[in-house]
Amino acid sequence: MISRQSLIVARWEFLRFFKWKQQLVSYLLMLAVIAAIALWSFFTDESQQQYRIAVPAELQITNTEQFQFQRPGIALETQLMQMQSDDSWHAVISLQDGQLVVHTLTGKKWLQQLDEVLQKHYRHLAAQQMGLNTTQLAALEQPVEIETRYLDQSYKGKDTPEKIIAIGALILLFVGLSTAFGQVLVSITGEKQQRVTEQLYAIVTPQQWMDGKVLGHSFSALKAMLTSALVMLLSFAVVSVFTKKAVDLSWLDISVVLWLIPFALLGVVLCASFMGAIAASIDDPNNSGKSAVMMITWLPMVFTFIVIDSPAGIGMTILSFVPLTSFAAMPVKMAMVTVPWWQPLLSLLLLLATVYWMRRVAGRVFLRGMQMYGKEPSWGDIVR
Amino acid sequence: MQLIVTAINKAYSSVQAVKNASFHINSGEIFALLGPNGAGKSSIIRMLVGMTKPDSGSIMISYQDQHYDHVPRRLLGYLPEDRGLYPDKSIEKNLLYLAQLHGLSKSKALSEMDYWLDVFELTQRRHDELKQLSKGNQQKVQLIAAVLHQPALVILDEPFSGLDPINQEKVVLFLQQLKAKGMTVILSAHQMAMVEKLADHMLLMAQGQVVLAGTLQQIQQQSQNQRQMKVGFSSEVNAAQLEQLAAVVTVQQLQARHYLLTLAEQASVSDCLKQLLQYGELTQVEMQSADLHQLYLAAMARHKPEAAA
């Protein structure tokens, strides 16, 4: 179905935009930035530091690893002056009319942890006054465990790792289609402006040319998705290392990932064909409003995201079968609910048929544009 | 290969680009399409290439007992009027890409490329990006791209445009080489002196219509009634006044007080001389046969009033 000429065009297009040195440098920079952020968070982690807190003599609060409560026995004003002039205290606590007041220089994240320690201390005091023992107090503080049981056996649960995969898939599709969007527009309109198209028309058919373009830019989009996925995983690993947690990828559902590949491939080809058709009808991208229409290809991800919390709902079901949205919706649905095997297969076949039709449309639009040289075909011309 | 075009017409919106044009081209010959801008040359070329179809009439290309209504891509080498390549890529990458699209293997493409780069003295610059080359050198690369795959038919739309006289001569040699290799060449041009050296057959067009067709000799014979007369006056004469004479079609000033006149078909030499004597004493009268440039100008001049009417 794909001719040798189309493959040559595809290779040319892929390599035209594949600047591996720049890409490698940008990914290394991205990793370095993530590592730097992780390192910064690690070394500036306030929970790892100790804080000296001045408290009134009557406040019999126990020290923790993070907070050292000291009773200086000097006037509050002197304590506050010391806090401002040197680093004697990180915070000064006073009791004013039965109200606990925390004085500090500026807002910090550890103040929230101090608040929790103080809350816990006062809960203990209240429990003692009520005559409760430690066990009773612990029982009171123990949160109630509530388990939700879903009658729909196929639903894998909300806010689970499956949802991470689903959102990850949408992000990757967005990355891929954004890549294709820019490249298809630049490649096709650029070639027209560089006046290469008429030369190419004498060598390859409009369909071979368009197939090659679509394929080349689809590969670029898939490469962008793959490298983005790898960068995401590497970032996850880097953050895990710095937070001293084991790298755990058990949440990654390989079967969903395997299904994602053909859907992503066909989805990207479908969108690249649509973008190719629009770009082929543009003579001058600076003076044509048609390029904005290419952004329609982002809508499937937007619609899928809207219904992501009802993966078994009617909205997601429709989106997962309509070929213009199924490439985004079906993998997301599969990540979140168990679907019968025939559903993704049917969805994939419908998508395949639409891809075939769309690439034919793109080829015809290019031919129409060539026949109307010097004049941009109108929407009416494109439809005809 | 034989190419027969019969009574083709092509209109774009309200503009009739080609009107009832007919001609034929034999294998191995150089065929020139001549005419001013908007004459319909590129429209004919685009129909031959198959980019557009004639509204009426027919195009038949016969090659090895097969017949086509436009030149099949595998037989075609094409230099479009609207031309360009990838400016950020080297000469070699540009040519290799196009050659491989034509079906050539990499080794065959490279050997053909070596040959033609040598012909155009571009071997040393093969790794230069196209944007680093002069317009003339870019044009040479385009010409190489059109013939690298040794097509049976080469169509070159304005191959001399943008070239200096030295490079124009190189293109003449290039076209002669193509003919020697057995390729059929169709070219469109304004440069009559170049075409005169090269073309076996030619077609002169104006406003979509064929105004003269044939070999140079045939065209000269067709135009034999349009004799040319070199005249000299003893005093200054206004060329515009001479152009108004009924016996004169075109006037070209050669030097001070000396003019080359193309005579109207029906005018006799004696009539013309009588009319010229109104403007002063004649110091020179010499009849001569017209070259292509003069025939072209005369044909265009004859055609203009018709179009205006």
Side-chain angles (χ1 to χ4, degrees):
Chain A
M1 198 166 87
I2 301 293
S3 70
R4 181 177 168 274
Q5 269 93 346
S6 297
L7 292 175
I8 293 170
V9 174
R11 183 171 177 272
W12 174 266
E13 291 298 326
F14 180 76
L15 293 176
R16 248 176 100 188
F17 291 92
F18 184 46
K19 317 274 185 204
W20 68 271
K21 280 182 194 163
Q22 286 98 317
Q23 290 215 335
L24 191 64
V25 168
S26 67
Y27 285 132
L28 286 175
L29 273 174
M30 205 188 297
L31 271 177
V33 168
I34 291 165
I37 291 169
L39 271 172
W40 177 260
S41 307
F42 179 73
F43 288 114
T44 58
D45 186 1
E46 292 171 349
S47 64
Q48 304 292 321
Q49 292 181 24
Q50 278 203 334
Y51 300 92
R52 290 181 300 283
I53 315 294
V55 295
E58 60 268 35
L59 188 57
Q60 296 301 313
I61 188 166
T62 318
N63 288 341
T64 65
E65 277 188 22
Q66 197 174 2
F67 299 106
Q68 295 289 308
F69 297 103
Q70 296 173 1
R71 292 155 196 86
I74 52 175
L76 177 63
E77 286 72 23
T78 315
Q79 290 176 35
L80 295 177
M81 280 171 65
Q82 281 181 349
M83 187 171 66
Q84 280 181 307
S85 59
D86 53 43
D87 57 352
S88 303
W89 322 108
H90 291 95
V92 174
I93 294 175
S94 64
L95 277 167
Q96 293 175 8
D97 304 328
Q99 173 84 36
L100 208 59
V101 180
V102 178
H103 309 264
T104 187
L105 289 175
T106 182
K108 294 276 186 181
K109 198 177 169 187
W110 55 264
L111 285 170
Q112 199 180 337
Q113 285 142 2
L114 176 65
D115 187 78
E116 284 169 16
V117 171
L118 292 170
Q119 295 282 358
K120 192 176 177 185
H121 171 73
Y122 277 96
R123 275 203 304 276
H124 276 266
L125 281 182
Q128 278 170 5
Q129 283 166 5
M130 286 186 276
L132 299 176
N133 60 29
T134 319
T135 317
Q136 287 169 320
L137 180 62
L140 267 179
E141 288 184 339
Q142 181 69 31
V144 179
E145 276 187 29
I146 302 169
E147 186 192 357
T148 308
R149 292 191 176 176
Y150 302 102
L151 295 181
D152 184 349
Q153 295 296 309
S154 63
Y155 186 45
K156 294 173 186 172
K158 199 178 171 184
D159 297 332
T160 57
E162 285 79 6
K163 191 171 176 181
I164 298 172
I165 299 175
I167 291 175
L170 285 181
I171 291 171
L172 290 180
L173 278 169
F174 191 79
V175 167
L177 294 185
S178 302
T179 305
F181 172 82
Q183 288 191 8
V184 170
L185 187 66
V186 168
S187 159
I188 293 180
T189 58
E191 231 167 51
K192 280 186 168 187
Q193 291 186 320
Q194 288 158 7
R195 300 170 169 190
V196 192
T197 35
E198 202 167 323
Q199 177 108 41
L200 289 172
Y201 178 88
I203 307 174
V204 294
T205 65
Q207 192 62 61
Q208 286 172 329
W209 182 84
M210 186 54 81
D211 284 349
K213 291 264 175 202
V214 165
L215 216 56
H217 296 301
S218 296
F219 284 139
S220 284
L222 290 171
K223 188 213 67 178
M225 290 168 72
L226 185 68
T227 45
S228 299
L230 287 174
V231 168
M232 280 183 200
L233 286 175
L234 269 173
S235 309
F236 177 73
V238 168
V239 171
S240 298
V241 167
F242 283 112
T243 53
K244 293 179 179 170
K245 290 175 189 164
V247 180
D248 178 18
L249 294 176
S250 59
W251 50 272
L252 205 59
D253 188 339
I254 296 300
S255 65
V256 171
V257 173
L258 288 177
W259 270 108
L260 176 66
I261 293 168
F263 275 105
L265 179 68
L266 288 178
V268 166
V269 172
L270 176 73
C271 293
S273 301
F274 175 78
M275 291 171 187
I278 300 297
S281 71
I282 297 172
D283 252 17
D284 178 6
N286 300 319
N287 292 308
S288 175
K290 286 184 187 156
S291 49
V293 179
M294 290 162 73
M295 290 183 195
I296 285 175
T297 51
W298 292 340
L299 288 181
M301 278 83 75
V302 175
F303 289 151
T304 305
F305 190 76
I306 289 170
V307 295
I308 201 164
D309 285 330
S310 297
I314 185 79
M316 184 68 94
T317 304
I318 291 169
L319 291 179
S320 63
F321 282 106
V322 173
L324 302 175
T325 53
S326 62
F327 65 90
M330 186 53 93
V332 167
K333 185 178 180 182
M334 289 174 73
M336 300 184 75
V337 295
T338 308
V339 295
W341 63 270
W342 61 266
Q343 284 194 9
L345 197 63
L346 176 63
S347 174
L348 212 54
L349 288 173
L350 288 171
L351 182 56
L352 190 65
T354 311
V355 165
Y356 180 79
W357 173 78
M358 187 59 84
R359 64 171 267 276
R360 299 277 297 170
V361 168
R364 281 172 182 273
V365 171
F366 173 60
L367 176 63
R368 172 68 74 174
M370 287 299 294
Q371 287 170 336
M372 297 179 68
Y373 52 85
K375 186 184 164 199
E376 187 164 302
S378 65
W379 289 114
D381 295 323
I382 293 170
V383 171
R384 278 193 295 275
Chain B
M1 163 172 291
Q2 198 179 30
L3 193 149
I4 300 170
V5 174
T6 312
I8 53 169
N9 286 284
K10 183 72 192 175
Y12 299 105
S13 304
S14 58
V15 181
Q16 186 72 34
V18 180
K19 297 173 197 165
N20 207 34
S22 298
F23 57 92
H24 74 273
I25 302 170
N26 293 316
S27 186
E29 70 177 22
I30 297 180
F31 185 89
L33 285 165
L34 305 171
N37 295 332
K41 306 184 300 288
S42 293
S43 294
I44 287 184
I45 285 176
R46 286 191 172 106
M47 285 188 272
L48 294 178
V49 170
M51 203 171 291
T52 56
K53 289 192 182 301
D55 298 333
S56 63
S58 69
I59 295 171
M60 193 178 78
I61 289 122
S62 306
Y63 183 75
Q64 293 178 344
D65 299 329
Q66 300 283 315
H67 305 288
Y68 310 93
D69 64 358
H70 65 267
V71 186
R73 288 186 171 86
R74 65 190 167 83
L75 304 180
L76 176 67
Y78 182 43
L79 176 76
E81 182 191 25
D82 236 3
R83 50 183 166 255
L85 290 170
Y86 300 95
D88 295 331
K89 299 285 179 188
S90 68
I91 294 177
E92 185 173 300
K93 281 187 177 162
N94 267 291
L95 292 176
L96 198 57
Y97 175 52
L98 296 176
Q100 287 183 320
L101 280 179
H102 274 299
L104 263 64
S105 66
K106 191 176 177 183
S107 59
K108 175 75 178 161
L110 286 172
S111 73
E112 285 293 320
M113 198 191 300
D114 288 344
Y115 173 79
W116 287 113
L117 288 176
D118 188 44
V119 167
F120 281 113
E121 296 166 2
L122 285 171
T123 306
Q124 301 300 317
R125 307 201 64 180
R126 66 189 299 153
H127 298 298
D128 288 358
E129 288 178 357
L130 222 65
K131 65 185 176 194
Q132 296 173 305
L133 304 182
S134 65
K135 199 180 168 196
N137 280 339
Q138 289 188 25
Q139 175 107 326
K140 290 179 196 170
V141 177
Q142 294 264 186
L143 285 167
I144 296 172
V147 299
L148 208 58
H149 56 296
Q150 297 187 328
L153 176 66
V154 183
I155 298 180
L156 308 172
D157 204 347
E158 302 287 355
F160 301 107
S161 71
L163 295 178
D164 58 44
I166 293 169
N167 280 315
Q168 285 185 352
E169 285 299 331
K170 280 185 182 162
V171 174
V172 169
L173 292 174
F174 164 77
L175 292 169
Q176 284 167 341
Q177 279 196 52
L178 297 186
K179 189 180 177 186
K181 283 172 178 279
M183 296 182 202
T184 306
V185 179
I186 300 174
L187 62 95
S188 73
H190 300 293
Q191 293 78 0
M192 300 301 148
M194 302 290 149
V195 173
E196 212 169 33
K197 285 182 201 171
L198 279 168
D200 299 301
H201 283 88
M202 55 199 81
L203 195 77
L204 270 72
M205 296 188 72
Q207 295 184 330
Q209 283 182 304
V210 176
V211 291
L212 284 172
T215 62
L216 179 61
Q217 285 168 332
Q218 284 168 341
I219 287 175
Q220 281 171 333
Q221 279 169 4
Q222 284 170 37
S223 315
Q224 65 182 349
N225 292 332
Q226 295 157 31
R227 293 128 306 159
Q228 292 203 309
M229 184 189 281
K230 208 186 269 183
V231 293
F233 288 91
S234 58
S235 56
E236 203 60 55
V237 176
N238 189 341
Q241 284 181 318
L242 297 178
E243 221 161 30
Q244 300 302 315
L245 295 174
V248 176
V249 179
T250 64
V251 178
Q252 188 186 344
Q253 183 152 15
L254 302 171
Q255 49 182 289
R257 302 190 301 276
H258 285 77
Y259 302 90
L260 181 67
L261 313 176
T262 305
L263 306 188
E265 278 181 40
Q266 71 282 7
S268 70
V269 175
S270 60
D271 284 346
C272 183
L273 287 171
K274 275 179 198 167
Q275 290 173 16
L276 290 172
L277 284 167
Q278 297 170 37
Y279 296 101
E281 192 183 331
L282 291 168
T283 58
Q284 183 193 11
V285 176
E286 189 185 324
M287 296 302 292
Q288 67 171 53
S289 59
D291 63 13
L292 186 58
H293 180 73
Q294 288 145 0
L295 291 173
Y296 174 82
L297 291 177
M300 291 303 127
R302 273 202 315 281
H303 192 79
K304 260 185 186 170
E306 284 172 35

